[in-house]
Amino acid sequence: MADTFNLWFEKYRPKSLDDIVLPPNKIQLVKRWFQDFLEGKARTSGLLFTGPPGLGKTSMAHIILREYGFKVREFNASDTRSKSLIHENLYGLINITDVNRVVNRDEPPVAIIMDEVDGMFKSDRGGVDELLTFITEQRRVPIICICNLGNVKKDTIKGLQKECLEVNFQLPDEGQMMQVLRRVTGGEGMHVSAEAENMII
């Protein structure tokens, strides 16, 4: 049974913005930010997705970046937490991308996902400070930082909240859960009674 659920988890992973369980106003907020970024009007180059794990933060990041034509480079911040690694990976990526786009103008622009940023706060602050410097100094590459709030004290991410546009993901309500449930059961050709649906939710 566990293998079946794992398969469903991947099979029904959100593939478009319509699949994301997030209030429409928050999706519109992210889309407006990208429009402003592409027009050079965004206050910051960083987005911060916060909330409990398992709510689609990383899926949302990949989907929105693909929708706007970016080539995604994802890092796990818990593995890239030191100042030197942050500098080497992020600034090095920009330099390589600049060269590639000179050689091939059809090369898509690059964007960065920094996943599990909460893992950076478990070591020294050097990596966090370098990440903040990257976000504030460069304006060409969008970077989406993803943080599971349950793993950090709220006051430790004030710097990121100040320098990024924060979008908070919250637990879905019953209506949203029903929408996802019916997408899965419909896709599997399953007929589930209303009573069973409510029990599952």
Side-chain angles (χ1 to χ4, degrees):
M1 183 64 75
D3 288 341
T4 300
F5 285 130
N6 286 333
L7 289 172
W8 284 359
F9 183 82
E10 291 301 327
K11 183 176 181 179
Y12 295 100
R13 181 184 292 276
K15 296 178 176 63
S16 71
L17 289 178
D18 291 337
D19 297 334
I20 295 290
V21 180
L22 195 66
N25 63 313
K26 292 192 177 183
I27 293 178
Q28 289 303 317
L29 179 67
V30 175
K31 293 175 76 172
R32 277 199 307 273
W33 182 90
F34 270 96
Q35 290 163 2
D36 288 344
F37 180 85
L38 293 173
E39 295 172 5
K41 299 177 183 177
R43 177 188 65 82
T44 173
S45 63
L47 283 169
L48 176 63
F49 290 175
T50 59
L55 297 187
K57 298 186 295 298
T58 303
S59 294
M60 172 68 169
H62 279 278
I63 289 169
I64 196 73
L65 289 172
R66 286 200 307 268
E67 179 165 304
Y68 282 92
F70 287 97
K71 179 180 178 180
V72 178
R73 182 66 189 274
E74 181 176 349
F75 296 96
N76 189 306
S78 61
D79 297 327
T80 319
R81 64 179 71 177
S82 71
K83 178 177 180 179
S84 60
L85 284 174
I86 291 289
H87 188 90
E88 177 184 341
N89 281 291
L90 300 191
Y91 287 98
L93 179 62
I94 289 181
N95 292 336
I96 292 172
T97 302
D98 287 345
V99 171
N100 289 343
R101 297 200 75 191
V102 168
V103 175
N104 180 10
R105 293 188 177 276
D106 293 329
E107 181 82 7
V110 70
I112 295 168
I113 295 175
M114 188 64 73
D115 206 354
E116 298 186 17
V117 170
D118 42 287
M120 298 181 71
F121 295 93
K122 298 174 183 177
S123 58
D124 64 85
R125 296 265 318 164
V128 177
D129 292 340
E130 188 68 14
L131 177 59
L132 286 169
T133 298
F134 179 84
I135 292 171
T136 55
E137 284 187 352
Q138 67 82 31
R139 296 288 188 224
R140 293 174 295 154
V141 177
I143 177 168
I144 300 179
C145 299
I146 298 171
C147 180
N148 295 323
L149 281 183
N151 295 335
V152 294
K153 295 179 180 178
K154 290 186 178 180
D155 59 348
T156 61
I157 63 166
K158 284 183 179 178
L160 281 172
Q161 290 173 320
K162 178 182 177 183
E163 299 300 337
C164 300
L165 172 66
E166 182 179 6
V167 180
N168 182 251
F169 285 61
Q170 297 175 329
L171 292 172
D173 60 29
E174 290 187 5
Q176 291 170 321
M177 292 177 69
M178 184 69 77
Q179 179 184 349
V180 174
L181 174 60
R182 287 178 176 171
R183 182 158 62 90
V184 174
T185 56
E188 296 298 317
M190 300 170 66
H191 300 285
V192 182
S193 69
E195 182 182 4
E197 286 181 332
N198 289 329
M199 288 178 65
I200 292 171
I201 289 174

